[in-house]
Amino acid sequence: MLASRMNNLHPYVPGEQPKDRVYIKLNANENPYPPSPLVIKAVRNAAKKHPEKLALYPDPDSNSLKEAISDMLNKTGGVLCRANLEGGKKNGSKARVSPSEADKIPFVVSPEMIYVGNGSDEVLSFVFYAFFDSDRKLVLPEHTYSFYPVYGGFYDIPLEKIPLNSDWTLNKEKMIEAANNENSGIIFANPNAPTSLGLTRDEVREMLKKAPKDKVFVVDEAYVDFGGESSIPLLAEFQNLVIVRTTSKSLCGAGQRLGYLVANKELVNAVTTVKNSLNHFPIDFLAQQAGIAACKDVGYYVHAAQSVAFERDEFIDFLREKGWSVLDSQTNFIFCKKDGVDGKAAYKKIKEEGILIRRFDTPGIEEYLRITVGTHEQMQALRDVMEEI
Ligand SMILES: *Cc1c(COP(=O)(O)O)cnc(C)c1O
């Protein structure tokens, strides 16, 4: 009964969402803070004052949302954690925001450079469809976001996985060499998952200089707001660069499903063509209102990202004191292991104590734990458990 293409599907397995008991949830890299109060207000007002809008199709191109996203990027430089805050409330709400010196974008990001989709997973899917062919291998790191190989199977795109260096950094030289051999595209997350390590903008620039110019080079910046370096400024130099981003992590919006990409207009148009050939209206009316309100109150999220980064660094210090090996993290998660401790057993023990974290059965990283950074209280609870391990 099934089409033969079903054999190519190897679906992604997300972090578990158990219903049997209430866990402290540090397993899916969600933000521990709620959205800005202004987002709640915007959604409530939208439903209350304009109920008729729910009966109508939403703006298919989410134009107001694209404007709000481009404004936010120009205001922050694309890295929330390092942006400057002035005035506003204690939680950063209504503060004035400006980019740090290091993150200033040397041009204005315009709404035409933005594409928005139903979560960055959908955006990534359309990127695979629009830019990668089945007659050449797509180059990616061996350990990276595990959805990329899933799309490879879905669209029948062969993959060339390049092992990481022994210090868990990307093997940039090998990736570029492979891309040139095949004249093919490249994709990786920066900072990378699950390693939490990032490349500097200069390192990405060096890769772009040497990569095939007529093939798309994708940088997934899902975690960049927690302390990485954004490649957005490089869009002025490279026409083949596509940057995928999401509201799920740093904009406290995993439940609303909003992802986007930033690229030159021609590439944005290609992805829009894919969207219009599949689902004309990916972002519902309420999600558009929520996204717009979030971007307008970006100070709140700058504060949240800074709080997460602070908790992360404190927790890394704690783990290292307790003898764990921990990679430096530029993300909202921590990748760690301890000699003599079985990863699976540690994961189980932590779960029994009511805290969910993530680990992978993937060869090479079985002993590692991936811990999402939560609130101070959540991390204190985890400290109490990990003290014993
Ligand atoms: C979480 C994550 C995504 C998916 O984000 P959504 O917008 O929630 O679909 C994409 N890429 C990476 C690397 C991620 O960690």
Side-chain angles (χ1 to χ4, degrees):
M1 263 195 293
L2 301 184
S4 59
R5 67 171 78 89
M6 287 297 286
N7 295 328
N8 291 339
L9 300 191
H10 305 285
Y12 180 76
V13 184
E16 57 198 313
Q17 314 270 356
K19 304 258 180 320
D20 58 325
R21 88 183 244 200
V22 181
Y23 288 94
I24 294 180
K25 208 170 165 303
L26 303 176
N27 70 334
N29 296 345
E30 293 140 322
N31 202 303
Y33 301 108
S36 145
L38 299 187
V39 168
I40 311 302
K41 199 165 147 193
V43 172
R44 193 178 285 142
N45 277 350
K48 216 166 157 177
K49 296 192 181 151
H50 299 286
E52 76 287 354
K53 295 254 179 154
L54 285 166
L56 304 175
Y57 285 112
D59 171 7
D61 292 314
S62 311
N63 284 312
S64 306
L65 178 56
K66 287 180 183 174
E67 271 173 35
I69 290 173
S70 53
D71 276 354
M72 172 194 63
L73 294 174
N74 290 319
K75 262 195 230 160
T76 59
V79 183
L80 293 184
C81 197
R82 283 203 302 259
N84 304 313
L85 277 186
E86 255 180 283
K89 302 193 174 172
K90 226 173 110 198
N91 64 1
S93 203
K94 298 189 172 169
R96 268 189 313 281
V97 177
S98 58
S100 72
E101 206 49 50
D103 296 321
K104 270 187 187 150
I105 303 173
F107 57 90
V108 177
V109 178
S110 67
E112 296 79 49
M113 297 175 71
I114 311 283
Y115 168 85
V116 286
N118 188 18
S120 68
D121 286 338
E122 186 194 77
V123 174
L124 283 163
S125 155
F126 291 177
V127 161
F128 271 64
Y129 188 91
F131 304 124
F132 303 135
D133 265 309
S134 17
D135 66 350
R136 59 190 77 228
K137 287 183 181 166
L138 169 65
V139 175
L140 72 170
E142 179 184 355
H143 297 296
T144 187
Y145 186 39
S146 42
F147 227 126
Y148 308 147
V150 175
Y151 291 137
F154 192 87
Y155 292 119
D156 200 17
I157 298 159
L159 304 177
E160 173 128 6
K161 294 187 182 178
I162 308 297
L164 299 179
N165 294 320
S166 57
D167 62 357
W168 298 99
T169 54
L170 300 194
N171 191 333
K172 297 170 287 185
E173 295 74 22
K174 279 269 152 51
M175 287 178 67
I176 292 300
E177 193 183 306
N180 281 312
N181 277 344
E182 299 270 346
N183 190 31
S184 62
I186 291 182
I187 188 167
F188 59 92
N190 189 39
N192 197 22
T195 62
S196 72
L197 299 174
L199 296 178
T200 64
R201 187 177 308 126
D202 283 338
E203 288 176 301
V204 177
R205 180 188 281 112
E206 285 313 303
M207 287 180 80
L208 274 156
K209 276 187 186 161
K210 296 175 194 151
K213 294 278 177 290
D214 58 341
K215 292 292 175 294
V216 166
F217 186 113
V218 183
V219 181
D220 181 343
E221 294 192 341
Y223 298 108
V224 77
D225 279 321
F226 299 101
E229 289 191 13
S230 176
S231 293
I232 291 176
L234 302 177
L235 287 167
E237 297 163 58
F238 302 97
Q239 300 301 311
N240 60 332
L241 172 60
V242 169
I243 298 167
V244 177
R245 301 176 53 115
T246 178
T247 68
S248 294
K249 276 88 191 209
S250 55
L251 291 189
C252 312
Q256 96 206 351
R257 312 305 303 128
L258 271 186
Y260 59 99
L261 68 73
V262 196
N264 286 295
K265 226 164 54 186
E266 292 67 33
L267 301 185
V268 170
N269 290 345
V271 178
T272 307
T273 300
V274 179
K275 174 200 71 137
N276 288 339
S277 311
L278 195 84
N279 175 9
H280 205 165
F281 302 103
I283 317 292
D284 70 77
F285 170 65
L286 291 178
Q288 292 192 32
Q289 304 315 308
I292 292 165
C295 292
K296 289 197 169 151
D297 195 23
V298 69
Y300 174 89
Y301 300 96
V302 169
H303 185 264
Q306 290 172 348
S307 306
V308 167
F310 180 82
E311 285 305 323
R312 171 193 69 207
D313 293 342
E314 297 263 288
F315 201 78
I316 290 177
D317 287 346
F318 159 80
L319 286 177
R320 286 181 177 155
E321 268 166 34
K322 294 286 161 198
W324 289 75
S325 327
V326 190
L327 299 194
D328 289 329
S329 172
Q330 300 184 337
T331 63
N332 67 339
F333 61 89
I334 292 167
F335 196 56
C336 62
K337 73 160 187 175
K338 189 173 183 179
D339 280 343
V341 171
D342 174 58
K344 203 165 192 166
Y347 160 85
K348 274 198 184 141
K349 160 93 178 129
I350 293 169
K351 184 170 174 182
E352 276 161 20
E353 299 294 332
I355 304 176
L356 273 185
I357 59 167
R358 189 109 199 254
R359 68 168 286 283
F360 304 90
D361 279 322
T362 321
I365 59 173
E366 302 107 311
E367 298 308 339
Y368 277 82
L369 306 178
R370 194 198 72 184
I371 301 168
T372 304
V373 178
T375 62
H376 184 71
E377 291 68 30
Q378 292 174 324
M379 299 319 279
Q380 190 53 48
L382 182 58
R383 253 184 213 109
D384 294 344
V385 177
M386 289 185 79
E387 193 100 53
E388 313 281 307
I389 297 177

